[in-house]
Amino acid sequence: MNILICNVGSTSLKYQLFAMEDGERVIAAGGAERVGAAKSLFYRTEEGKKVQEECVFPTHREAIQKMLSCLPAEETVDCVGFKVVHAKGVTGVQELNDGVLAAMEAFNSVAPAHNPPYLAAIRQFRALMPGVPLIGSFETAFHANMPPEASLYSIPWELTERHAIHRYGFHGASHEYMTTWAAEKTGRSDLKLISCHLGGSGSLTAVDSGRSIDTTMGLSLQCGVMQNNRIADIDPYIIFYLVEECGMTLEEVKVMLQTKSGLLGMSGVSNDLRDVEEAAAAGNERAANAVRAYTYGIKKYIGSYAAALGGLDVITFGGGIGRNSATVREQALAGLGIFGVELDPEKNRNAKGGDDISRGGSRVRIFVVDTNEEIVVARKAAKLLRAGGACHE
Ligand code: ADP
């Protein structure tokens, strides 16, 4: 069984084709960037080397056509799997039929950077690959069984009920991957674990014996720890103050929260942590404060999740930042000795994926993980396909 996994961004597309019965071998991989711009880019891995070419992709349709034309002709595609983000009243692993697409559309306003491009791309796949099942694994699924005290907001109950407003949580594929990975690594299924998925978009999850019991993102992806250009937790009355007293329109505030905040907004330098860290090292005070605020937010959640879990065995770091930034890990874990968290600075600086970077004798083990969201989605899609229908998890 061959499963094509596609990650869709507003101007990008990434793909991997897995041969599931052949050791989950990656048959083909690549992607498109700058979709919609005058000049787009298409890249793919060929015999271990990345090759790229300039193309014109006015929409995702042309990028998808190019990708399909580059898949090895002798290989079939049994299904296309997507790491879909959000849908009203729907989660788990689903065949992407009209009902599920309508449920995604109903949450376009709470996932504006994610749902519209996914919907557009899924419709193009339907047109270009008729008869091939399209399966979505929702990023909310891993958090679907959080206890009510973690998932409910203190708004009037009628609003929660009528409008499905509660904490959903995201990055489920990555948190699930790190949870399973840590259980296998330690040989324990009863771990109290805090999973830190830190990329352009990031969240932390408290996991008790494999189950998500709390997570930092909510109804939307606009809360929790700081993001590259999106807001973290803020006082909701800042919004009313900006509109009622500071002359901004509600639309301007929305755009500010979605695209001009986070590391970019605080530092004024970049939405890429590498640039912000570099500026901080060169003496830029705003950039240094942005990194400090970012890591302080992570530290606060680690402390509160240790309390929520009633103990702590493992912390995992994954995603572009979690995997690569020794500075972020060091600052976020500094002073957490009271929870039994002892980082080894040397191991931290030289960490590779899979490493334990805790000091000998640390009660809590700290792992850097090469999280693999695509394989999680591929396995779920394969399971649904073998079972011959939609399933809810
Ligand atoms: P996304 O959330 O978009 O999938 P990634 O998980 O790939 O992104 O994370 C991207 C982010 O990782 C970049 O914005 C960059 O800030 C950060 N990053 C990548 N490499 C490093 C590094 N060596 N040091 C610090 N940050 C890094």
Side-chain angles (χ1 to χ4, degrees):
M1 181 188 286
N2 291 341
I3 303 222
L4 179 65
I5 299 297
C6 281
N7 283 352
V8 184
S10 52
T11 61
S12 70
L13 178 84
K14 284 186 214 157
Y15 69 91
Q16 286 189 56
L17 180 63
F18 291 95
M20 299 307 286
E21 268 92 40
D22 186 9
E24 299 175 340
R25 182 172 57 89
V26 177
I27 302 170
E33 285 173 10
R34 288 185 244 133
V35 174
K39 280 183 194 162
S40 313
L41 189 72
F42 185 79
Y43 60 91
R44 63 185 182 276
T45 308
E46 244 172 40
E47 289 161 8
K49 286 207 192 90
K50 186 171 172 179
V51 290
Q52 61 182 48
E53 57 186 296
E54 262 185 19
C55 295
V56 181
F57 300 140
T59 68
H60 279 92
R61 182 184 181 87
E62 294 77 18
I64 296 165
Q65 279 173 320
K66 172 74 178 171
M67 171 193 72
L68 294 176
S69 73
C70 288
L71 295 179
E74 68 282 8
E75 300 286 356
T76 55
V77 175
D78 297 299
C79 123
V80 187
F82 300 89
K83 187 168 59 92
V84 279
V85 174
H86 213 1
K88 189 171 183 179
V90 174
T91 188
V93 187
Q94 304 285 341
E95 186 152 5
L96 295 168
N97 56 29
D98 288 343
V100 174
L101 296 194
M104 288 175 68
E105 209 143 22
F107 266 175
N108 271 354
S109 62
V110 277
H114 300 87
N115 275 11
Y118 261 108
L119 283 162
I122 289 163
R123 291 191 169 115
Q124 298 293 0
F125 272 98
R126 276 182 157 189
L128 292 167
M129 302 178 83
V132 175
L134 307 182
I135 292 178
S137 172
F138 280 94
E139 287 284 73
T140 49
F142 187 58
H143 310 290
N145 297 310
M146 286 187 294
E149 63 271 25
S151 69
L152 296 177
Y153 291 120
S154 57
I155 56 173
W157 174 248
E158 314 80 74
L159 297 179
T160 298
E161 216 172 19
R162 192 175 336 137
H163 302 298
I165 298 173
H166 57 84
R167 184 183 302 283
Y168 287 77
F170 299 92
H171 303 121
S174 180
H175 291 303
E176 181 171 338
Y177 182 91
M178 290 199 268
T179 296
T180 309
W181 183 93
E184 279 169 12
K185 179 88 176 170
T186 58
R188 284 179 56 185
S189 57
D190 64 339
L191 290 176
K192 292 184 185 295
L193 175 147
I194 297 173
S195 162
C196 307
H197 175 86
L198 306 173
S201 162
S203 64
L204 270 64
T205 295
V207 182
D208 198 349
S209 306
R211 173 185 170 216
S212 165
I213 63 150
D214 203 350
T215 192
T216 55
M217 282 181 166
L219 166 72
S220 78
L221 296 91
Q222 310 282 343
C223 61
V225 295
M226 270 163 64
Q227 317 290 324
N228 60 354
N229 62 355
R230 294 200 312 264
I231 197 71
D233 293 337
I234 55 161
D235 177 343
Y237 264 64
I238 292 172
I239 297 166
F240 303 109
Y241 179 64
L242 287 172
V243 171
E244 291 164 5
E245 305 292 338
C246 306
M248 285 178 81
T249 66
L250 197 56
E251 187 57 28
E252 284 167 343
V253 174
K254 188 159 95 176
V255 170
M256 180 274 286
L257 297 176
Q258 287 169 353
T259 62
K260 298 180 180 172
S261 300
L263 285 170
L264 172 68
M266 271 196 85
S267 70
V269 172
S270 164
N271 66 2
D272 190 307
L273 180 75
R274 286 165 289 201
D275 302 332
V276 184
E277 281 184 353
E278 201 178 301
N284 181 323
E285 189 60 20
R286 271 177 64 188
N289 280 340
V291 179
R292 274 188 216 114
Y294 181 62
T295 57
Y296 179 67
I298 297 166
K299 183 200 302 268
K300 277 207 297 194
Y301 270 116
I302 290 176
S304 66
Y305 284 173
L309 288 162
L312 187 58
D313 301 306
V314 166
I315 300 175
T316 59
F317 284 95
I321 293 174
R323 166 71 179 75
N324 296 306
S325 176
T327 307
V328 164
R329 294 189 300 259
E330 187 177 329
Q331 287 190 14
L333 300 180
L336 293 182
I338 51 162
F339 298 105
V341 178
E342 307 273 357
L343 184 74
D344 183 312
E346 185 71 20
K347 288 184 194 164
N348 182 44
R349 270 193 298 278
N350 302 313
K352 308 180 300 302
D355 282 359
D356 180 346
I357 55 171
S358 55
R359 185 176 291 172
S362 173
R363 202 150 38 77
V364 174
R365 295 182 74 183
I366 308 157
F367 294 112
V368 174
V369 183
D370 282 325
T371 192
N372 186 344
E373 297 159 278
E374 287 72 24
I375 198 63
V376 172
V377 177
R379 287 173 187 160
K380 286 176 187 288
K383 190 173 161 195
L384 181 65
L385 212 57
R386 287 189 195 107
C391 73
H392 298 260
E393 289 194 348

